[in-house]
Amino acid sequence: MTGPRQFSSPQRGMFGVHGTGDTSGYGRLERPVSLPERTVRPYGGWFDELVDALEASLAEVGVSAADALDVVVFRNELTLHVEREYLPAVAGRLRDEQDLRFELCLGVSGVHYPDSPGRELHAVYALMSITHNRRVRVEVSVPDSDPHIPSLFATYPTTDWHERETYDFFGIVFDGHPALTRIQMPDDWNGHPGRKDYPLGGIPVEYKGARIAPPDQRRGYH
């Protein structure tokens, strides 16, 4: 498996605002956006122990860890970047292996990196081991042109509505989910509001038919 692809793109403003129409005070913010690189051993702490146990457990079911995942340690947190076709196998071993025992999936979050070609959409799973009192992050990236990821509903049934919400807001399709429908937006809603390129909306107010324009269309005062 190739390491997490690097990209660097400046983020300007906040909430997708461009230009100087934002009167909130955030319009002039600018910061770089980049992803951390693959980490080399030793990872530190219990991370090496966990990765060793996972690699051995995957080998027992005929899966090469080198093909299936990359390890990233950033800010003292462990993230396993997993190729999507290996996600069910990795999740199953993380849950069932006695030395791992990540019994609980705390949720699924979507992330959109529009300036990362071929890896625009990410699904991030937060797993917790109640047995060992540890947490690990599992992350899968897919291209916007093929936004399919295997559902983890069979391994972690609590991902049911989490995957629906990620589908609703980011358009990631979780193959094998028992009922992948929108969970907050109407069924006929056009687009996925969690993406960074989704257009901003205005706010209707209750008097005189007025409407507050989106931040990038407001009048600027200097």
Side-chain angles (χ1 to χ4, degrees), residues 180-203:
L180 193 63
T181 57
R182 290 188 182 271
I183 192 170
Q184 296 196 42
M185 308 305 292
D187 290 340
D188 59 352
W189 191 265
N190 184 26
H192 303 283
R195 296 194 182 192
K196 292 189 173 105
D197 55 4
Y198 190 82
L200 298 173
I203 304 172

Side-chain angles (χ1 to χ4, degrees), residues 155-211:
T155 306
Y156 296 106
T158 54
T159 61
D160 183 356
W161 71 267
H162 296 281
E163 290 183 347
R164 287 180 59 196
E165 184 177 60
T166 304
Y167 161 72
D168 192 356
F169 283 98
F170 292 89
I172 297 175
V173 180
F174 294 91
D175 296 329
H177 189 284
L180 193 63
T181 57
R182 290 188 182 271
I183 192 170
Q184 296 196 42
M185 308 305 292
D187 290 340
D188 59 352
W189 191 265
N190 184 26
H192 303 283
R195 296 194 182 192
K196 292 189 173 105
D197 55 4
Y198 190 82
L200 298 173
I203 304 172
V205 293
E206 297 180 359
Y207 56 93
K208 296 183 180 179
R211 181 174 182 273

Side-chain angles (χ1 to χ4, degrees), residues 120-141:
E120 293 92 348
L121 296 172
H122 293 226
V124 183
Y125 302 79
L127 305 183
M128 180 174 182
S129 171
I130 301 173
T131 300
H132 302 293
N133 191 26
R134 294 173 173 175
R135 295 195 183 199
V136 67
R137 181 185 299 109
V138 173
E139 187 165 346
V140 181
S141 60

Side-chain angles (χ1 to χ4, degrees), residues 143-160:
D144 192 9
S145 59
D146 183 22
H148 290 263
I149 294 176
S151 172
L152 288 188
F153 175 80
T155 306
Y156 296 106
T158 54
T159 61
D160 183 356

